[in-house]
Amino acid sequence: MCDWRLVVDAGGTDLCRVDPGFGTDILITVDLRAMASVWKGATRFTDEI
C-alpha cells in the first residue's frame, strides 16, 4: 500500500508521494480503482462510499 497526498489550494491541485509538510484537513482511505474512477469523473465520491 502507498500513501498519496492531494494538495489543493487557490493555485491548483497537486498529487504528491512525499509529505509536503502541510497539515491534514481530511483523510480518505480508498482503493486505487475507486480513486481513479472519481479522479476521471466516471463516478462521484458518494457513489464509491
Side-chain angles (χ1 to χ4, degrees):
M1 187 171 120
C2 61
D3 294 332
W4 292 86
R5 278 93 177 155
L6 186 63
V7 179
V8 181
D9 63 17
T13 304
D14 195 13
L15 187 62
C16 306
R17 279 293 318 254
V18 178
D19 186 349
F22 303 116
T24 301
D25 293 325
I26 187 170
L27 175 65
I28 299 171
T29 302
V30 64
D31 64 29
L32 179 59
R33 188 217 49 85
M35 187 64 195
S37 182
V38 171
W39 188 266
K40 293 187 310 181
T43 59
R44 299 174 302 177
F45 280 117
T46 55
D47 298 331
E48 296 297 339
I49 293 176

